[in-house]
Amino acid sequence: MAKNALSFVCQNCGAAHNRWQGKCESCGEWNTLVEEDVTGATTMPVSIRSRRKGRLFALETLTGKSHEAPRLASGMAELDRVTGGGFVRGSVLLVGGDPGIGKSTLLTQATSLMARAGHRAVYISGEEAVAQVRLRAERLGLADAPVQLAAETSVEDIVSTLSEGTVPRLIVIDSIQTMWTDTVESAPGTVTQVRASAQALIRFAKKSGAAIILVGHVTKDGQIAGPRVVEHMVDAVLSFEGEGSQQFRILRAVKNRFGPTDEIGVFEMTGLGLREVSNPSELFLSERDLGSPGTAVFAGIEGTRPVLVELQALVAPTSLGTPRRAVVGWDPSRLSMVLAVLEAHCGVKLSGHDVYLNVAGGLRIQEPAADLAAAAALVSSLVNAPLPTDAVYFGEISLSGAIRPVAQTSARLKEAAKLGFLRAVLPESARGEVGGDGGLVLNTVGGLTSLVADIAARGAPKGNREGAAMEKNATPARFRRQEG
């Protein structure tokens, strides 16, 4: 008999070490190494493994008809948008999100809608009892949905039960960290158990054709907990995001083998569950503070959907040697670049000011087209000049100060016109790409200097006398010089 090999496995990244140490050399995390049996019960001697012959399989050519993978709509348009049109037969999805964000609520609604449509949907809960899941279904008004429910954690028992009768069209495993299999000798939740359990469920999905959704926990950094190899094994990785103080949630695809990864689904958390938001722009702009300096509306694109969101900036004098740069919902590196271009090419001195930038509503923007809106909000806050409330901004700023065009200009303008905006500030070279502007007045800018000059002329910056008085009042009395 071969002796089981013990190793110390990092519970954060899955790297194996020969001995225990306080810090993992692969990911840099402390106190994450746990002793595990990495071989398990399936270990066989090398002499036996070497005599096994492989089976023959058929080889095919590149020519031939390729049928599109059949999809099954979930009944939730926002969920289908993120997955690429529905669930593909035999696919495995991994859904992650912060605790209490609404993952179980979302999947309960999805399984209930599919069950009401006549499909067999199974919900396996490893964290909650059956009575707790029923209470959630009653609160959501879904108690009458014919969803098959169970509270089980053994992967072998789950696979054996689901193999009987009609193959389920959708299976929800909540969560993969609670599952365990007999093939490995480790505690549930460890890297070895999570990897082996996920592999067994994926093998069942590919063999039976059922779509499986695995719920995964997240770490304090927002990454899905467990070994990174699980994300490579599944077909799609979805991230359910949101702020606890906000009522809406965003479902974003991080990886998707059967669809795009730049689409988002927007939901609103209500007392009756998650409500789909077909027009996210109205939600993000519903609580705008009109006429305030430092606010600009950005016309962005999330996948194929135009989204209008408000950027808020605050520029305040600082007495610190190193001013603060804080940003929420945008790339901090792009903020530093915009500040450098403003100071180098536009004469805007921000080295003595704290800069704060926030994307209203908690949305995270990833495209560089928000450069122009961010620059306009920063200059507006600095010179105390409110921007026009009926204008939208979009454009990429280059290091030379020029405004570069962005993609899908027509879609951005149509969305702005639909929401009642009257003008748009956009790159000068993008005028030829405009198909239908919806009657908007187009203010094109070729460089950032002209935009800064226009905003500065509209408002009045704070006077030097006021700034000097503030600086004098902020100085302790024992350090002031006696005048006269």
Side-chain angles (χ1 to χ4, degrees):
M1 295 296 294
K3 183 179 179 180
N4 290 348
L6 297 179
S7 179
F8 294 90
V9 181
C10 176
Q11 303 301 304
N12 184 55
C13 65
H17 302 267
N18 295 328
R19 59 183 179 85
W20 185 91
Q21 52 192 14
K23 181 179 180 181
C24 176
E25 298 177 353
S26 300
C27 62
E29 292 293 331
W30 289 86
N31 299 324
T32 57
L33 299 187
V34 176
E35 185 178 7
E36 295 185 12
D37 181 8
V38 297
T39 57
T42 59
T43 302
M44 63 179 65
V46 179
S47 58
I48 299 179
R49 293 200 307 264
S50 60
R51 292 197 301 265
R52 178 185 178 274
K53 294 183 179 181
R55 63 178 179 87
L56 300 178
F57 57 90
L59 299 176
E60 300 181 4
T61 61
L62 294 177
T63 58
K65 297 181 179 180
S66 58
H67 301 280
E68 185 179 357
R71 296 181 181 271
L72 179 64
S74 64
M76 305 180 70
E78 295 297 312
L79 179 58
D80 293 338
R81 173 189 292 270
V82 178
T83 57
F87 300 119
V88 178
R89 294 179 58 89
S91 63
V92 180
L93 293 80
L94 180 61
V95 179
D98 295 332
I101 202 66
K103 301 184 297 297
S104 300
T105 301
L106 173 66
L107 299 179
T108 301
Q109 294 182 225
T111 52
S112 300
L113 291 176
M114 292 191 63
R116 287 178 175 177
H119 305 287
R120 184 187 179 190
V122 180
Y123 192 101
I124 306 295
S125 176
E127 299 180 346
E128 299 175 313
V130 174
Q132 293 177 300
V133 181
R134 287 175 177 171
L135 287 176
R136 183 189 304 115
E138 293 178 1
R139 177 175 56 86
L140 301 177
L142 304 172
D144 59 338
V147 177
Q148 297 180 342
L149 180 63
E152 185 59 50
T153 58
S154 175
V155 174
E156 284 77 16
D157 295 344
I158 293 174
V159 172
S160 299
T161 303
L162 297 180
S163 301
E164 298 292 332
T166 306
V167 177
R169 296 302 302 271
L170 179 64
I171 303 171
V172 175
I173 305 296
D174 188 7
S175 64
I176 188 60
Q177 273 81 12
T178 60
M179 299 293 119
W180 64 276
T181 174
D182 294 332
T183 58
V184 294
E185 299 178 359
S186 298
T190 58
V191 169
T192 306
Q193 278 286 2
V194 171
R195 182 169 51 235
S197 300
Q199 180 61 39
L201 293 172
I202 292 173
R203 191 163 49 246
F204 171 75
K206 303 302 180 183
K207 181 179 179 180
S208 63
I212 298 182
I213 300 179
L214 306 178
V215 179
H217 296 169
V218 297
T219 62
K220 59 183 179 181
D221 298 329
Q223 303 294 329
I224 297 180
R228 199 56 131 184
V229 69
V230 175
E231 299 187 24
H232 303 318
M233 294 161 53
V234 299
D235 299 308
V237 179
L238 307 181
S239 177
F240 205 39
E241 307 169 354
E243 297 291 339
S245 59
Q246 302 291 340
Q247 74 276 15
F248 68 88
R249 304 289 186 265
I250 297 176
L251 183 65
R252 190 185 304 271
V254 181
K255 168 191 173 182
N256 194 353
R257 291 175 180 167
F258 307 109
T261 58
D262 51 2
E263 293 284 358
I264 64 170
V266 183
F267 302 87
E268 183 181 5
M269 179 62 75
T270 64
L272 298 177
L274 292 169
R275 183 182 67 86
E276 299 181 67
V277 179
S278 58
N279 191 355
S281 300
E282 294 182 352
L283 178 63
F284 295 139
L285 299 177
S286 59
E287 300 179 358
R288 284 185 63 197
D289 190 7
L290 301 178
S292 298
T295 60
V297 177
F298 164 60
I301 293 289
E302 290 289 344
T304 59
R305 168 190 290 175
V307 177
L308 270 63
V309 65
E310 183 184 31
L311 297 185
Q312 302 172 349
L314 176 62
V315 179
T318 180
S319 58
L320 302 176
T322 303
R324 296 192 60 185
R325 302 287 186 261
V327 56
V328 177
W330 201 38
D331 188 5
S333 300
R334 297 208 67 87
L335 174 63
S336 301
M337 187 202 72
V338 171
L339 295 178
V341 173
L342 285 174
E343 189 159 353
H345 297 285
C346 304
V348 180
K349 302 300 181 181
L350 296 173
S351 57
H353 295 77
D354 291 334
V355 176
Y356 303 90
L357 185 68
N358 175 48
V359 180
L363 181 67
R364 189 176 74 249
I365 298 176
Q366 298 178 347
E367 59 174 336
D371 292 348
L372 192 62
L378 291 170
V379 177
S380 172
S381 176
L382 178 65
V383 302
N384 197 27
L387 297 175
T389 58
D390 57 351
V392 296
Y393 298 80
F394 60 90
E396 180 182 355
I397 298 177
S398 63
L399 293 179
S400 62
I403 308 299
R404 297 172 54 86
V406 295
Q408 304 187 33
T409 300
S410 300
R412 303 172 194 263
L413 297 178
K414 289 180 181 179
E415 181 71 12
K418 185 174 65 175
L419 294 179
F421 289 89
L422 302 179
R423 70 183 77 178
V425 181
L426 69 162
E428 186 176 7
S429 55
R431 180 182 289 273
E433 303 178 5
V434 178
D437 53 8
L440 293 176
V441 177
L442 304 181
N443 298 333
T444 59
V445 290
L448 189 57
T449 306
S450 59
L451 177 66
V452 173
D454 180 67
I455 298 176
R458 189 181 301 115
K462 298 179 181 179
N464 295 331
R465 179 179 302 178
E466 180 183 357
M470 293 176 57
E471 183 178 358
K472 180 178 179 180
N473 294 334
T475 306
R478 63 179 182 272
F479 293 108
R480 297 178 189 165
R481 295 183 179 180
Q482 299 296 330
E483 299 179 0

